[in-house]
Amino acid sequence: MQRNLWGQPIRRTAEYHVFHDESMPNKRWLLIGLLFVQTQHLNEVQAALQDFRMQEDYSGEIHFSDLPKNFDGCWSAKARVAQEWMRCFEKGLSDRVFFSTLAVDRHSPRYEHKRFARDFHAYNRFTAMALKAGIAWHLGPQNLDDLIVHFISDAKDRATRPDRDLTDNFEQYLPSRAELDSLLSQSPSYPFLNMDLELRDSAKEDLLQLCDLLLGATQMALVAGSSRPTKRELGEMIVRWYRDLQQPPWQQKFGLHRKFNLWAFPDQNGSPYNKVKLALNIDDGQLSLFTDSS
């Protein structure tokens, strides 16, 4: 810990908003997406997203699953805004916004089905895992002592709801679990965490929509679940980013190290892994790294 001129400790503190989305494209994969935005940059990022809306005169909600087939035409403004948001992330917004996806492989022999009797048990536990890993990976270089997290999730998808005799306690579980993880962390560089959680309507929150868009495009890269040209093009962007991140740092051209991350759990040893097989195979004249048509 650094000290001032009088020998008193200086605690390094930061405040972030973390936007959350989840997706279950098939019986195999559960995806958790987290978008990290430092609070002091929140207005700047929101203004950048709004600029693209104004250019297209489009104010509707942007969901990856609802993107139209084409980018051209008067009915495709939503797709063009989504495309520009993705390009903006690639070209520099990622200096202000970090995105991470955890892909949970429920077909892995090391996935503990008995531990997760209800779907929300898995959602909750793996969201906590994704948050802990995201803080360590994206914010670790800052060597923070204290971290304030305002965790934002979609009210339409994550509102507490009964499941027969059990209740999804997401709003209570996640902050307490995340703060416990910070106390139990073995890493001296992992910060002490203070966290609150808020449910918001994604229709009124561009950053929740950006999180959905990035997660949807990552899902497309992972499972290639649509033939729609708009979705495939955005998925191809993710494939290129991911391929680029497999190269040595001096050969990477997008500069997304610690800004974009796709990782998975569990491998054959029950551990996280980074060499994720992508089903969306594209030919850019490069070697197709870790791709699979399955």
Side-chain angles (χ1 to χ4, degrees):
M1 182 178 294
Q2 294 181 342
R3 295 181 180 274
N4 61 22
L5 294 175
W6 298 274
Q8 298 170 326
I10 301 173
R11 296 189 66 82
R12 293 177 292 269
T13 302
E15 181 178 354
Y16 275 79
H17 279 63
V18 179
F19 297 84
H20 161 248
D21 197 12
E22 63 193 31
S23 176
M24 193 164 57
N26 53 34
K27 293 182 178 180
R28 178 177 180 181
W29 294 105
L30 163 64
L31 305 183
I32 306 293
L34 298 177
L35 188 77
F36 292 76
V37 185
Q38 193 165 10
T39 300
Q40 69 185 50
H41 299 313
L42 201 60
N43 291 339
E44 175 187 353
V45 173
Q46 290 170 331
L49 299 178
Q50 280 293 318
D51 281 346
F52 293 111
R53 285 189 177 278
M54 293 174 63
Q55 291 173 24
E56 292 292 340
D57 191 24
Y58 182 77
S59 59
E61 187 169 6
I62 296 174
H63 274 307
F64 186 84
S65 62
D66 296 332
L67 290 180
K69 183 177 180 180
N70 300 306
F71 289 110
D72 299 324
C74 61
W75 303 108
S76 297
K78 176 190 296 187
R80 291 193 294 273
V81 173
Q83 183 183 49
E84 290 303 322
W85 281 8
M86 292 283 290
R87 289 174 174 171
C88 184
F89 182 89
E90 177 181 291
K91 294 178 180 178
L93 190 68
S94 55
D95 290 338
R96 294 286 187 257
V97 174
F98 309 144
F99 183 73
S100 180
T101 299
L102 165 59
V104 180
D105 185 358
R106 295 179 297 179
H107 284 184
S108 169
R110 296 303 301 272
Y111 180 82
E112 300 176 280
H113 290 275
K114 293 182 179 179
R115 185 178 176 187
F116 306 111
R118 297 290 186 273
D119 282 344
F120 71 78
H121 294 160
Y123 295 151
N124 296 357
R125 182 65 193 98
F126 289 117
T127 299
M129 177 189 288
L131 179 61
K132 181 179 180 181
I135 290 171
W137 180 243
H138 295 292
L139 310 186
Q142 299 180 35
N143 292 314
L144 298 172
D145 298 301
D146 300 290
L147 176 64
I148 299 169
V149 167
H150 306 291
F151 194 90
I152 313 296
S153 193
D154 190 345
K156 292 181 290 188
D157 295 333
R158 285 280 14 145
T160 295
R161 52 194 182 276
D163 184 358
R164 297 183 181 179
D165 57 330
L166 298 175
T167 301
D168 181 353
N169 63 338
F170 177 77
E171 295 100 310
Q172 293 75 39
Y173 169 83
L174 191 64
S176 62
R177 179 70 212 193
E179 291 177 2
L180 178 63
D181 283 344
S182 76
L183 291 173
L184 298 179
S185 176
Q186 300 297 310
S187 172
S189 63
Y190 195 87
F192 177 77
L193 182 64
N194 186 290
M195 176 175 163
D196 58 71
L197 187 151
E198 180 182 353
L199 301 179
R200 294 184 186 174
D201 183 353
S202 62
K204 302 176 181 178
E205 180 55 73
D206 278 354
L207 285 162
L208 277 175
Q209 293 174 51
L210 177 61
C211 185
D212 172 274
L213 180 64
L214 286 162
L215 183 63
T218 303
Q219 173 183 303
M220 184 68 203
L222 180 65
V223 305
S226 176
S227 60
R228 187 159 290 196
T230 50
K231 294 182 179 181
R232 291 189 67 87
E233 181 169 325
L234 300 186
E236 288 173 3
M237 293 181 71
I238 299 293
V239 174
R240 293 186 184 96
W241 299 350
Y242 187 76
R243 287 180 179 178
D244 191 60
L245 286 167
Q246 311 309 312
Q247 304 300 321
W250 58 88
Q251 293 182 11
Q252 294 179 17
K253 64 180 182 180
F254 292 119
L256 293 176
H257 180 63
R258 292 191 188 269
K259 299 174 183 179
F260 174 84
N261 191 35
L262 168 60
W263 59 292
F265 176 88
D267 65 7
Q268 61 185 2
N269 298 315
S271 300
Y273 60 99
N274 291 313
K275 294 183 179 180
V276 182
K277 292 183 178 180
L278 304 180
L280 185 61
N281 195 2
I282 62 176
D283 183 9
D284 279 346
Q286 305 176 32
L287 178 65
S288 236
L289 298 178
F290 315 124
T291 57
D292 192 330
S293 59
S294 61

